[in-house]
Amino acid sequence: NFEHVSHGLMQQQTMLVPRSEPVKISRITIKNNSAWSRRLTLTYYVEWVLGVQRHGNSQFVVTERDQETGALLARNAYNEEYSDRIAFMDINLPISTYTGDRTEFIGRHGNLKNPAALRRVGLSGRMGAGYDPCGALQVEINLKPGEQKEVICLLGQGTDLKEVQQIITSYRDRDRVDEELDKVKKYWDKVLGVIQVRTPDLSMDLLL
């Protein structure tokens, strides 16, 4: 879990990976603790590698948007082992804008600490081949005073489009995410609880 409070907003992020499916889940909770309504933009950004390293692979990565789910997809047909796999990213809220162009998002001489895309409104929707590839999704969140909302971001891969769509549909459901989080916690409690160490040095106990 990661927690942060600033500008009248409570923010919490929980990250997990289900044991049985190839997807990373980021569950983000935002609560408006201020006395006025807030309109926020949440941006989810990834840099596709789809190989051993980004340099040398990026020119082969092709991006597109899935019309059924709205998720962003990426393929690298030149990867010897995973040429048939489809990587994806998704948010469980209506997407306002998106792009697959890293240069557009960061800026020609920019960096991720201060990306050009966050200094203007909206993204271009560029997808396809020939770009320095990335994935960026933006959603709008409106919060009344005291209101709290939860956002689920997904990053994963599937063997084909049907599997990708099944994973996305399944984990957009908050109850399913809660269920998987409980399973993951129980699994690690079992794994890490097999051996218990007690010494006169508490720091050593915690380390072991």
Side-chain angles (χ1 to χ4, degrees), residues 92-93 150-152 172-179:
N92 70 330
L93 294 179
E150 188 175 282
V151 184
I152 298 173
R172 279 179 173 175
D173 181 9
R174 294 181 179 88
D175 291 338
R176 178 67 189 277
V177 171
D178 289 340
E179 180 184 325

Side-chain angles (χ1 to χ4, degrees), residues 135-165:
L137 295 170
Q138 289 188 333
V139 297
E140 292 184 357
I141 302 173
N142 295 300
L143 293 169
K144 297 176 182 178
E147 188 177 8
Q148 176 176 298
K149 289 189 177 180
E150 188 175 282
V151 184
I152 298 173
C153 300
L154 305 176
L155 177 65
Q157 73 162 4
T159 55
D160 53 36
L161 183 58
K162 183 178 179 181
E163 183 184 22
V164 166
Q165 291 170 341

Side-chain angles (χ1 to χ4, degrees), residues 46-180:
V46 303
E47 293 188 358
W48 302 115
V49 177
L50 307 188
V52 177
Q53 56 185 354
R54 189 175 179 281
H55 177 70
N57 280 291
S58 61
Q59 61 184 317
F60 303 118
V61 175
V62 179
T63 58
E64 64 179 302
R65 191 179 187 204
D66 178 35
Q67 296 303 312
E68 183 172 323
T69 62
L72 298 191
L73 310 177
R75 295 178 171 89
N76 180 359
Y78 289 88
N79 184 286
E80 293 181 2
E81 294 185 66
Y82 307 108
S83 60
D84 57 339
R85 300 294 178 90
I86 302 174
F88 67 88
M89 62 182 300
D90 180 67
I91 301 181
N92 70 330
L93 294 179
I95 306 300
S96 56
T97 61
Y98 60 93
T99 188
D101 183 356
R102 180 175 177 270
T103 302
E104 172 201 346
F105 188 87
I106 295 179
R108 193 162 297 278
H109 301 292
N111 56 64
L112 286 177
K113 291 183 179 180
N114 188 25
L118 300 189
R119 300 196 299 270
R120 59 177 182 266
V121 177
L123 301 169
S124 68
R126 292 184 194 128
M127 304 294 289
Y131 298 111
D132 184 6
C134 78
L137 295 170
Q138 289 188 333
V139 297
E140 292 184 357
I141 302 173
N142 295 300
L143 293 169
K144 297 176 182 178
E147 188 177 8
Q148 176 176 298
K149 289 189 177 180
E150 188 175 282
V151 184
I152 298 173
C153 300
L154 305 176
L155 177 65
Q157 73 162 4
T159 55
D160 53 36
L161 183 58
K162 183 178 179 181
E163 183 184 22
V164 166
Q165 291 170 341
Q166 288 175 341
I167 294 172
I168 290 171
T169 301
S170 179
Y171 288 104
R172 279 179 173 175
D173 181 9
R174 294 181 179 88
D175 291 338
R176 178 67 189 277
V177 171
D178 289 340
E179 180 184 325
E180 285 300 321

